[in-house]
Amino acid sequence: MPALGEMLEKLNPWHRDDQPPPPPPLTPWAAGLLLVFYALIYVLPFYASSLTRPSPTLSRDAPSVIKARITSVTISCLICCLSTYLILTPGFPTGNNETGLSSNHVIHLMGFWPLAVVDSLRALLLTGLLFLGPLFLYFVVESGWRDWLHLDPLREIYSDWTAWRNLVAGPITEEILFRSASIPLMLASQTSINKTIFLTPIIFGISHVHHFYEFRLTNPQVPAKAAFARSIFQLAFTTLFGAYATFIFLRTGSLLAVCAVHTFCNSMGLPQVWGRVEPSGEGIVPVPVPTTGSLLSHGQTQTRRASVLWTVSYYLLLVGGAVGFYRNLWVLTEGGNSLVESGAFVSS
């Protein structure tokens, strides 16, 4: 009889084979609350133990604190990734039904596979365009290429715990938590692409606000207003980077890509946007302009001319790189591993 009923149903002229799409496994609000919960899981353990909690006599840069915190965030990442996987895979109850995605689909949404090595290199090249000026400053003006001939920067990463945290452990764990474990929840909840890109990074930025407390704790001599301004600035650029990393993650579908971009940006820091360029490596170094009638030695004249040439070249590359970044933003992030269709960025 069920077969006969199905046949009669199909004979109905108003019958449609298309079934309504299943409801999303969770709502946008639920996904957002999970993201906040993930951020708390990442940060709060830092203050639950004397091994990870900074004090006036124990800096967050102390090797013992860095080691303990790396262990803590690794556990947090495992918990959050497992939670996302269980929420999105079949058989896990979500609301009044049991909807879910295939395991392979979830692994792809989390950016674990495929690695998308070529897409990652293209994303790294795109990011490098923004830093053409700083790269010129490091490799040419400061002769940084000599350090790379001996692989000194790589040795520093493995010998210095602060460098290891900033360039390896930090980028990897933050991208696993705030991209791999978080973005699939937003996609599964059918949150718009624009909201996913521009709102979720706010949680990523807020997760860095605790640095204000740690900075004040270990630098009490710095005025509170200056420390607060420092934290607001940090919140702004971490949120901006979070939006960019989310865009890269959605376009490439690769955890490797966002980890590489994050490490590169951490290694470069913020570009110099004013002042003369000097090979001292100490940032902005003012070069006095001689008054009429003053005498300069030949060496001083050559140095000043080189400084002017370096400065002009630096800012031309900085602006040119920004233009190149803008023009290639979509081209260098186009690939077959994207988590969403290209049209979704326009329609949302």
Side-chain angles (χ1 to χ4, degrees):
M1 292 303 295
L4 178 59
E6 291 178 4
M7 182 182 69
L8 293 175
E9 178 67 20
K10 290 185 177 182
L11 290 175
N12 185 343
W14 293 280
H15 170 75
R16 292 179 180 271
D17 290 330
D18 296 335
Q19 298 297 324
L26 70 167
T27 66
W29 274 103
L33 289 176
L34 278 171
L35 263 61
V36 173
F37 181 65
Y38 285 0
L40 292 176
I41 289 179
Y42 190 91
V43 174
L44 288 184
F46 292 170
Y47 304 96
S49 169
S50 58
L51 296 176
T52 56
R53 184 171 55 247
S55 67
T57 58
L58 185 63
S59 169
R60 65 186 294 269
D61 294 329
S64 61
V65 174
I66 294 176
K67 294 176 187 178
R69 287 192 171 190
I70 289 177
T71 302
S72 172
V73 297
T74 300
I75 296 173
S76 297
C77 288
L78 291 174
I79 293 173
C80 294
C81 284
L82 180 61
S83 299
T84 296
Y85 180 82
L86 291 176
I87 290 171
L88 299 183
T89 48
F92 189 83
T94 53
N96 297 324
N97 50 51
E98 291 188 357
T99 60
L101 306 173
S102 68
S103 297
N104 290 339
H105 192 183
V106 174
I107 293 298
H108 172 54
L109 287 177
M110 298 179 75
F112 293 144
W113 190 261
L115 293 178
V117 175
V118 174
D119 290 345
S120 300
L121 292 175
R122 285 156 59 91
L124 197 58
L125 173 62
L126 173 68
T127 309
L129 291 176
L130 276 178
F131 292 89
L132 279 184
L135 288 171
F136 167 78
L137 173 61
Y138 172 70
F139 282 103
V140 178
V141 179
E142 298 178 351
S143 301
W145 61 273
R146 299 180 186 273
D147 298 332
W148 279 97
L149 283 180
H150 304 91
L151 300 180
D152 290 339
L154 296 181
R155 292 194 181 94
E156 181 182 359
I157 291 176
Y158 288 99
S159 62
D160 183 81
W161 276 103
T162 301
W164 178 263
R165 177 197 63 194
N166 295 340
L167 302 179
V168 180
I172 291 176
T173 56
E174 288 183 0
E175 294 307 322
I176 287 177
L177 188 87
F178 293 104
R179 247 59 69 181
S180 291
S182 300
I183 299 305
L185 297 177
M186 305 303 293
L187 296 178
S189 68
Q190 298 180 6
T191 303
S192 71
I193 299 302
N194 286 341
K195 289 182 179 179
T196 300
I197 292 176
F198 294 109
L199 295 184
T200 56
I202 295 177
I203 300 174
F204 172 71
I206 292 176
S207 67
H208 292 78
V209 172
H210 68 100
H211 291 169
F212 170 77
Y213 167 75
E214 297 180 348
F215 181 79
R216 287 287 293 159
L217 197 63
T218 55
N219 298 272
Q221 73 282 1
V222 177
K225 290 183 179 180
F228 180 74
R230 175 181 178 273
S231 294
I232 292 297
F233 181 71
Q234 186 180 41
L235 171 63
F237 75 73
T238 51
T239 300
L240 182 62
F241 173 79
Y244 176 62
T246 300
F247 175 82
I248 293 295
F249 186 71
L250 290 172
R251 294 280 290 171
T252 64
S254 172
L255 173 64
L256 175 63
V258 288
C259 286
V261 168
H262 197 150
T263 294
F264 176 76
C265 290
N266 278 9
S267 66
M268 296 304 299
L270 293 176
Q272 177 180 318
V273 294
W274 67 283
R276 288 198 177 187
V277 168
E278 294 289 333
S280 63
E282 297 297 328
I284 301 169
V285 179
V287 178
V289 179
T291 58
T292 304
S294 63
L295 298 178
L296 290 176
S297 66
H298 178 72
Q300 289 175 316
T301 302
Q302 291 294 103
T303 300
R304 182 172 178 273
R305 288 177 179 174
S307 175
V308 172
L309 179 61
W310 289 329
T311 301
V312 172
S313 300
Y314 173 85
Y315 287 111
L316 286 177
L317 288 171
L318 192 65
V319 175
V323 173
F325 172 85
Y326 175 77
R327 290 184 175 179
N328 292 279
L329 179 63
W330 296 95
V331 175
L332 291 178
T333 56
E334 186 70 40
N337 199 45
S338 176
L339 300 184
V340 293
E341 296 180 357
S342 298
F345 292 89
V346 179
S347 60
S348 62

